[in-house]
Amino acid sequence: MRLVPLLVRRRFLAATALTLLAGCVVRPPEPAGLLVPARVIPIGAGRDDVVGLLGPPARGPVFDRYSNLSEMVYSFPFPAIRGETRFPDGTTRVEMVDRIHLFFDRKNKLDRMAYRTDRYYPSVTDLRIDQITILPHRIDPDGRVLPLVAQP
């Protein structure tokens, strides 16, 4: 007769312990929104390919009469663009920026890229960039672009 209440108590204690332990498990929050992977764009890429990878530009295309190039500007709210410049002596310069100017020729091929441009002649660039990498980022449901890792 005492065996039945003892089994009921054990089951109750086991169920209570299981409920408490299951409630204590901390799961990392799922990233909400769209995760965008890294993309690499070299000199000579097609304009349709670039627009397909990056979407519509923040500004452009604007035709520059000085160089006969079309300019498109892409920008991010944080440094998400890594540009690589290869020098003849074999060294490579890497710089992180939040804005990139892309210049396309009449055949819609990427002719040059720049971080900083001249105020009056944007196609005059100070440093040649051979390749850019757009780092992975997340687009939340509100449309904000957020980095995947904390920025310094």
Side-chain angles (χ1 to χ4, degrees), residues 34-40 134-137 148:
L34 175 69
L35 294 175
V36 181
R39 291 149 300 176
V40 176
I134 309 297
L135 299 179
H137 55 276
L148 286 182

Side-chain angles (χ1 to χ4, degrees), residues 3 7 11 14 22 52-53 62 101 118 126 131 137:
L3 188 59
L7 288 176
R11 286 184 184 165
L53 285 173
V62 177
H101 299 261
D118 188 277
D126 57 351
Q131 172 179 304
H137 55 276

Side-chain angles (χ1 to χ4, degrees), residues 108-127:
N108 290 329
K109 296 293 179 188
L110 186 58
D111 186 55
R112 62 182 82 155
M113 300 182 266
Y115 307 128
R116 298 171 294 277
T117 60
D118 188 277
R119 180 176 177 182
Y120 300 106
Y121 300 106
S123 61
V124 177
T125 60
D126 57 351
L127 182 63

Side-chain angles (χ1 to χ4, degrees), residues 5 13 17-18 22 26 30 38 45 54 60 88 91 93 111 122-123 139 143-144:
L13 289 174
L18 183 64
V26 178
E30 298 272 333
L54 301 179
T91 60
R93 177 181 178 191
D111 186 55
S123 61
I139 301 174
R144 294 178 298 203

